[in-house]
Amino acid sequence: MFSKIDCELVRKRCPNYDTDPSGWMNTVRPTVTAYKVVTCEFRWYGLQHRMEVFLQHLQERVYLGFHKQLVSRFHEWAAMSMDDIRQHEHETAQQLDHQRNHHDKRNDLL
């Protein structure tokens, strides 16, 4: 589904990055918290429960995989300025538009 990410390589690239710093909530401002509410309905007698469990498991894999990629690339974006971030967003939007317009679709989820 996602490219293989080796957490040990992340620790080697970012030796000062602590995955569990004590007291970080009291020292970091601003703190960003994101919540994602996911609902799943599949109304088909005999398949409803199995499909809902499958879809919930699938969305969990997607979000956990995204989080793992985000943490593994921490060193790439942590030092970016807002202008750098906007430029990166613009380039990413162009790449996504190109993929959508040229039907370059990849199925990484299933």
Side-chain angles (χ1 to χ4, degrees):
M1 181 166 91
F2 292 99
S3 60
K4 299 295 182 193
I5 299 168
D6 188 0
C7 295
E8 290 301 319
L9 291 177
V10 173
R11 286 194 187 97
K12 289 177 185 175
R13 281 186 284 186
C14 305
N16 297 330
Y17 178 67
D18 188 6
T19 56
D20 188 22
S22 60
W24 68 270
M25 289 179 66
N26 299 325
T27 59
V28 175
R29 294 288 179 235
T31 302
V32 176
T33 305
Y35 294 94
K36 181 69 176 175
V37 177
V38 177
T39 59
C40 175
E41 284 188 34
F42 187 87
R43 295 184 180 177
W44 192 334
Y45 182 76
L47 291 177
Q48 179 175 352
H49 178 71
R50 288 184 183 184
M51 259 329 264
E52 288 176 354
V53 168
F54 170 74
L55 292 172
Q56 290 170 354
H57 176 70
L58 184 63
Q59 72 85 24
E60 181 182 9
R61 284 179 44 207
V62 168
Y63 288 109
L64 289 177
F66 171 74
H67 183 262
K68 191 173 182 181
Q69 285 185 347
L70 183 71
V71 170
S72 72
R73 294 185 176 155
F74 173 78
H75 67 284
E76 295 174 9
W77 56 265
M80 286 181 145
S81 68
M82 283 305 293
D83 291 331
D84 294 337
I85 292 171
R86 287 189 180 106
Q87 178 65 28
H88 182 70
E89 287 175 343
H90 179 70
E91 291 169 3
T92 303
Q94 287 179 335
Q95 290 173 358
L96 291 173
D97 287 341
H98 180 268
Q99 287 179 359
R100 279 194 295 261
N101 293 334
H102 292 87
H103 305 289
D104 183 22
K105 297 178 183 177
R106 291 173 285 163
N107 190 359
D108 292 337
L109 297 178
L110 297 176

